[in-house]
Every structure is written in C-alpha cells, then in structure tokens.
C-alpha cells in the first residue's frame, strides 16, 4: 500500500505538449503530442487516458532538384486525433508546443464526425506550419530502429 501511495505522489510524466510514442493500435510506432490528459479514471473510461494528436503519414524527403509543386506535395502531413490509454503511450523527453483551439479539440468533439474533420484540418495546418519552421526535426521523421 505504501509503495502505491508513493507511486501516486510521483511527478506526472504524461502531461500536455509532451511528445509520446504510440505503442498499441493502428497508430503503433507513430509519434504524437498530448493535448489533454486525464490521470484518473472517468465513468466511460475506467483508466488513465489522454487525448493525443499525432502524425499518421510523415512528410517525405525533399531535394533541391525538385520543383516547388512537388516539394509542396511531399511536405504534406496526415494527422490523427485519438484518446489513448496511458499504458499504450511511451513518453519521451521532448515537448512540442501545439497551439490548437481547446474548444475545437476535446473528447466530445472527436466523437462527432463533422467536428472531428474540422479538428483534423486545424491540426494539419498547425503541424505543417511547425514542420516548415524547421524546429522539432526529430518529431517529423519516421521512427526507425
């Protein structure tokens, strides 16, 4: 019991803007950023969970010989938005500041398909903007072993 109490009082590792690796599911091996986390269980989810925004399709390599049109096409990112069990996320030491609209992106909004599409469009533009700023290069590369 005492070990459990000390476990609960430990600092939270999974918190907003932290880069995580998705371990299970169809996005396994993808990098994601936590938008909002819920350490305690709720009625519909009896476990700690987090709303994450990740990259489903990473941007491709661009060379100088390519034209502008081809470069723009290869710089596109396909995002995903999902609520994950915290056991299925592995936190990293990195953080990425994504300034997404909290009203647009929450657990209830992603249940409705129309609102989810709207949220994905917003996230896509934010991620591509971050990618073009040439910061956080590691986040926008495929995870390789």
């Amino acid at each position: 019991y005492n070990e459990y109490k000390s476990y609960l009082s430990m600092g939270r590792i999974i918190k907003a803007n932290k880069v995580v690796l998705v371990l299970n599911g169809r996005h396994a091996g993808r990098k994601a950023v936590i938008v909002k986390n819920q350490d305690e269980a709720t009625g519909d989810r009896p476990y700690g969970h987090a709303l994450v925004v990740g990259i489903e399709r990473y941007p491709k390599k661009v060379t100088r010989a390519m034209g502008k049109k081809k470069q723009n096409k290869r710089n596109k990112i396909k995002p995903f938005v999902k609520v994950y069990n915290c056991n299925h996320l592995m936190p990293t030491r990195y953080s990425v500041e994504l300034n997404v609209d909290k009203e647009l992106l929450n657990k209830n909004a992603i249940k409705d398909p129309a609102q989810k599409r709207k949220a994905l469009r917003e996230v896509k533009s934010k991620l591509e903007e971050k990618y073009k700023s040439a910061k956080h290069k590691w986040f926008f590369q495929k995870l390789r072993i």
Side-chain angles (χ1 to χ4, degrees), residues 62 67-76 128 132:
V62 174
K68 279 279 180 217
K69 189 176 177 184
K70 190 165 190 178
Q71 283 183 3
N72 288 339
K73 198 162 178 68
R74 292 176 78 95
N75 281 339
K76 294 231 182 327
E128 285 178 356
K132 286 181 179 130

Side-chain angles (χ1 to χ4, degrees), residues 22 26-32 53-59 76-82 84 116 120 123 127 139-140 142:
V22 179
R26 92 171 191 219
H27 302 299
R30 302 288 181 196
K31 292 174 192 151
V53 166
I55 301 177
E56 194 169 328
R57 189 166 51 234
Y58 291 94
K76 294 231 182 327
I77 293 171
K78 184 178 180 185
F80 68 86
V81 176
K82 201 165 177 351
Y84 270 103
K116 187 172 181 176
L120 281 170
V123 166
L127 284 173
F139 181 67
F140 295 102
K142 265 188 179 177

Side-chain angles (χ1 to χ4, degrees), residues 101-112:
D101 187 16
K102 297 281 192 234
E103 261 70 85
L104 197 64
L105 204 63
N106 56 42
K107 282 198 292 188
N108 299 331
I110 64 168
K111 285 179 185 168
D112 177 39

Side-chain angles (χ1 to χ4, degrees), residues 28-42:
R30 302 288 181 196
K31 292 174 192 151
V33 178
I34 293 179
V35 176
K36 189 173 189 299
N37 71 311
Q38 184 81 37
D39 288 333
E40 285 79 42
T42 58

